[in-house]
Amino acid sequence: MSEDPARYPRDESLWLATTPPTDYDPIEDGLTVDVAVIGGGITGLSTAINLIEAGRTVAVVEADRIVSGVTGHTTAKLTSLHGLIYDELLSEFGRSEADQYATANEAAIDEVESRAASADIDCEFERTAAYTYSTSTDDLDTIRAEVRAAQSLGLPASFVESTPLPFDVEGAVKFEEQAAFHPRKYLLAVAEQVHGDGSYVFEETQAQDVDPGSPCTVDTERGSITADDVVIATHFPFFDRAGYFSRMHPHMAYLLAVQLSESPPEGMYYSTNTPADTIRHRRTVDGQDMLLVGGQSHKPGEKDISTKERYRRCEAFAREYFPVESVEYRWSTMDYSTVDGVPFIGQIDPFTDSVYVGAGFSGWGMTGGTAAGMIISDLIVDGSSPWAEVFDPQRLTPGASTKEFVTENAEVGVDFLKDWAATVLSPDEVPVDLNEASVTRHDGRPVGIFRDGDGSVHAVSAICPHMGCLVRWNDAERTWDCPCHGSRFDYDGDVISGPALDGLESREL
Ligand SMILES: Cc1cc2nc3c(=O)[nH]c(=O)nc-3n(C[C@H](O)[C@H](O)[C@H](O)COP(=O)(O)OP(=O)(O)OC[C@H]3O[C@@H](n4cnc5c(N)ncnc54)[C@H](O)[C@@H]3O)c2cc1C
Ligand code: FES
């Protein structure tokens, strides 16, 4: 699809803007397959294709359109360099588990490369180096420790004092032979391979419940599916009997795709400062080379800095260091982190052995989701995977990261109470200007009110149907975001992403 230069910047993901939309049918009647895979992002589609290659029939059930969730809004670095993690993995998990993490993520890069090559998928796959860099001497010991840890695990790591970036760094971990790609070009082709010969991709079909058993039943809004095994690949597991809502926390982040007056620097970058800056080039054969720049990560619904200001800061960073000609696209999305930074991949809870989950990729789901596809299909087909232990969702890893996590969850509780108190005490009125929104009390109930540019008022219940937190307004995306577990809703209350399955009820004023 050609890129229209007339309307920049677009509030749209580069990946969605440069690929055609999909139109798989929704499910109409109940059906039986070997495995039901719920969620059509990188985790679900990677799992589905591996299962099909192992001789299973599969139904992929997607609530919206495939590859339009987080996977359609990522930075798309395929790397086993995940910030700084290996030194901590060695001390908190041990060598064998750290080795499984490293090997699974390296194998995921190879998996995308070989699948793209064997199926002739033009997905802009390109081997390149990845860096975690610091501009402060304070982090040098940590960076050197990470290099030593990664080298001891056989990863292609080295310590460098300079990078191709146009500013000085004090030091960086460099991993050779990592990769960049176009996630939608890759996964739309994978979906085409999934659909057919007794396997299916269904869009606009929300799964609403799972009855685990022999066989399992998945209830969707349009019919049920019977399957021996079920894979929950919905980013946040909506089927939650193991307290995932208290073991994962969401973070929003922002990206710009910018055109430079010169070639973007080679490589993919992640900084050690907080919030981290993320940078990568996108190279195409038709000269649409761009630089992706972003970061500004925060909890969803955080009120102190507006979304517009976060985009402004991303742009200011880009313009300070790179010869930016234009900002072409800008978008935001959200990922979930786990208590120990390691994803949950495997049997979803101790009560069932036929429902699996892949979630909590902590910002690294391109390799994580691909690895989840290999691990879960191995667990279903062979009953084991050499990498399963470190990702086991039932694991317990008390350690340094736990303290930070407990604090984060405690903050969710405090926010919950503060938001309710502020709303209950707010005046019972509708004080909203054009293109503004607020959460207020109306008829004794919390209501989210947005007045659009024409003056029309869109009023919805401000109570998140997941677990009752109050939603907050996102001014740049024009969405209601839940600060507790990350559900997002459009201004008419329809669900954009869960864990909430139901939308915000509309309200009369
Ligand atoms: C700003 C940002 C940049 C990132 N950059 C990178 C990067 O460079 N490299 C990297 O490795 N990772 C990166 N990540 C992380 C990575 O993008 C995600 O971890 C990954 O895309 C998650 O994939 P997924 O398949 O689990 O989720 P998704 O892509 O969100 O797919 C889940 C799907 O399930 C569907 N769904 C939800 N509920 C239901 C239901 N009830 N029924 C049916 N369908 C349902 C959703 O509609 C969605 O399509 C980044 C994350 C962010 C936030
Ligand atoms: S997402 Fe859990 S309460 Fe809103």
Side-chain angles (χ1 to χ4, degrees):
M1 179 178 277
S2 71
E3 294 165 38
D4 169 17
R7 298 176 47 235
Y8 296 139
R10 294 190 193 171
D11 282 312
E12 189 177 11
S13 136
L14 165 68
W15 316 121
L16 282 155
T18 53
T19 42
T22 53
D23 63 348
Y24 291 96
D25 290 335
I27 189 170
E28 278 186 359
D29 298 307
L31 87 156
T32 299
V33 286
D34 294 330
V35 186
V37 175
I38 307 175
I42 194 164
T43 309
L45 289 167
S46 302
T47 308
I49 193 69
N50 282 302
L51 287 166
I52 287 168
E53 286 171 354
R56 300 295 200 270
T57 57
V58 175
V60 174
V61 178
E62 166 56 48
D64 189 358
R65 295 286 173 190
I66 57 166
V67 208
S68 63
V70 191
T71 305
H73 294 82
T74 180
T75 325
K77 302 172 186 167
L78 270 168
T79 176
S80 58
L81 179 57
H82 295 173
L84 301 172
I85 190 168
Y86 291 103
D87 192 40
E88 206 166 299
L89 281 179
L90 281 171
S91 59
E92 290 199 16
F93 282 75
R95 180 156 298 277
S96 162
E97 288 84 353
D99 185 60
Q100 289 172 32
Y101 186 98
T103 314
N105 281 287
E106 278 286 301
I109 306 172
D110 296 343
E111 160 89 355
V112 174
E113 182 174 41
S114 65
R115 192 173 290 292
S118 64
D120 204 12
I121 303 171
D122 175 13
C123 62
E124 302 173 17
F125 182 95
E126 179 194 357
R127 289 278 180 178
T128 188
Y131 301 81
T132 299
Y133 69 87
S134 177
T135 51
S136 155
T137 49
D138 294 350
D139 297 329
L140 283 185
D141 287 348
T142 321
I143 285 183
R144 286 187 192 281
E146 183 72 359
V147 171
R148 282 193 299 274
Q151 285 173 340
S152 79
L153 293 163
L155 288 161
S158 59
F159 177 84
V160 293
E161 287 175 336
S162 66
T163 73
L165 288 172
F167 52 83
D168 291 339
V169 302
E170 292 296 337
V173 187
K174 177 183 182 186
F175 275 24
E176 303 283 358
E177 288 295 300
Q178 309 297 291
F181 77 138
H182 189 310
R184 267 181 67 89
K185 287 188 177 174
Y186 172 69
L187 288 164
L188 297 189
V190 169
E192 280 178 23
Q193 295 175 340
V194 167
H195 192 66
D197 290 335
S199 290
Y200 307 87
V201 174
F202 295 116
E203 293 187 322
E204 297 190 325
T205 303
Q206 187 194 56
Q208 295 180 322
D209 201 6
V210 177
D211 185 8
S214 306
C216 306
T217 307
V218 176
D219 291 327
T220 80
E221 54 190 339
R222 297 166 185 271
S224 59
I225 300 172
T226 306
D228 294 335
D229 296 287
V230 176
V231 180
I232 312 275
T234 52
H235 191 219
F236 187 98
F238 73 98
F239 175 73
D240 184 3
R241 302 190 306 185
Y244 284 90
F245 70 87
S246 64
R247 298 196 287 148
M248 293 165 53
H249 59 79
H251 278 102
M252 296 282 301
Y254 301 82
L255 288 166
L256 309 177
V258 302
Q259 198 88 57
L260 303 182
S261 59
E262 57 191 47
S263 279
E266 284 292 326
M268 310 185 293
Y269 302 88
Y270 191 76
S271 69
T272 56
N273 52 292
T274 307
D277 300 306
T278 182
I279 303 166
R280 68 154 269 199
H281 69 269
R282 178 210 178 193
R283 205 167 308 295
T284 66
V285 285
D286 57 1
Q288 296 284 340
D289 294 1
M290 284 185 207
L291 190 74
L292 273 65
V293 186
Q296 292 295 316
S297 167
H298 67 96
K299 284 196 299 178
E302 228 169 49
K303 292 187 276 200
D304 53 341
I305 303 171
S306 72
T307 308
K308 285 177 189 159
E309 171 61 14
R310 293 185 198 276
Y311 278 129
R312 196 201 62 73
R313 290 182 186 187
C314 290
E315 185 170 343
F317 174 79
R319 289 191 185 279
E320 182 174 355
Y321 295 111
F322 301 94
V324 175
E325 280 201 330
S326 58
V327 179
E328 312 256 332
Y329 303 94
R330 62 178 198 178
W331 67 96
S332 72
T333 190
M334 187 179 74
D335 208 15
Y336 289 92
S337 298
T338 63
V339 57
D340 50 27
V342 176
F344 295 133
I345 303 170
Q347 189 181 318
I348 196 164
D349 61 39
F351 320 112
T352 167
D353 56 6
S354 47
V355 182
Y356 298 84
V357 67
F361 296 110
S362 307
W364 300 105
M366 294 295 100
T367 48
T370 307
M374 295 191 275
I375 293 167
I376 294 171
S377 64
D378 279 354
L379 291 175
I380 290 173
V381 175
D382 303 327
S384 67
S385 157
W387 309 318
E389 193 183 346
V390 66
F391 300 107
D392 181 357
Q394 305 342 312
R395 69 183 178 267
L396 274 179
T397 46
S401 50
T402 312
K403 196 172 140 209
E404 186 191 323
F405 193 85
V406 169
T407 309
E408 184 113 18
N409 268 338
E411 281 171 9
V412 166
V414 171
D415 284 352
F416 177 93
L417 294 172
K418 272 203 230 153
D419 282 359
W420 270 93
T423 306
V424 166
L425 296 174
S426 70
D428 196 344
E429 56 189 37
V430 186
V432 183
D433 296 330
L434 287 187
N435 289 316
E436 296 285 334
S438 74
V439 173
T440 186
R441 181 169 61 101
H442 187 71
D443 284 344
R445 296 186 295 182
V447 180
I449 301 165
F450 168 58
R451 193 184 294 276
D452 65 24
D454 300 329
S456 303
V457 169
H458 307 255
V460 293
S461 164
I463 305 172
C464 176
H466 178 230
M467 295 182 76
C469 290
L470 294 190
V471 293
R472 295 174 181 173
W473 182 244
N474 176 334
D475 55 353
E477 314 286 327
R478 297 187 169 191
T479 55
W480 293 108
D481 297 350
C482 180
C484 289
H485 314 108
S487 291
R488 299 183 70 195
F489 309 86
D490 70 18
Y491 56 69
D492 284 321
D494 291 333
V495 180
I496 297 171
S497 60
L501 289 174
D502 299 319
L504 304 171
E505 287 173 19
S506 68
R507 290 276 183 256
E508 293 294 326
L509 296 180

